[in-house]
Amino acid sequence: MPFRKYSNQFRKGVCQLTCDCGHSPSKTAEEYEIPLKTLEKWITAYNKNPCCFDKSDDYYIES
């Protein structure tokens, strides 16, 4: 799988789905095509500090 960048807004959204709404991490990773280990790292960070993905992204997507 090629390297992908995910926005902080996206990261926070999937963490909220799994942590706050009770969605399965494995099913969420599959649905959003995220490596499970990556999602698990995000969830760990989110559980330590739910505001960890609130900062703005340090990259821009050009159209």
Side-chain angles (χ1 to χ4, degrees):
M1 180 179 283
F3 179 75
R4 292 174 55 181
K5 282 193 173 185
Y6 302 95
S7 71
N8 283 333
Q9 181 179 4
F10 177 80
R11 293 176 194 198
K12 185 171 186 170
V14 294
C15 286
Q16 287 174 330
L17 279 175
T18 57
C19 298
D20 301 338
C21 300
H23 288 220
S24 161
S26 59
K27 288 185 180 179
T28 302
E30 184 179 331
E31 179 180 342
Y32 289 96
E33 299 180 359
I34 307 165
L36 181 58
K37 286 290 185 189
T38 300
L39 180 56
E40 288 172 344
K41 288 178 186 177
W42 297 350
I43 290 170
T44 299
Y46 183 81
N47 282 330
K48 288 181 182 179
N49 177 9
C51 298
C52 66
F53 298 119
D54 286 350
K55 64 182 178 186
S56 65
D57 296 313
D58 57 354
Y59 64 91
Y60 299 93
I61 299 172
E62 295 183 18
S63 54

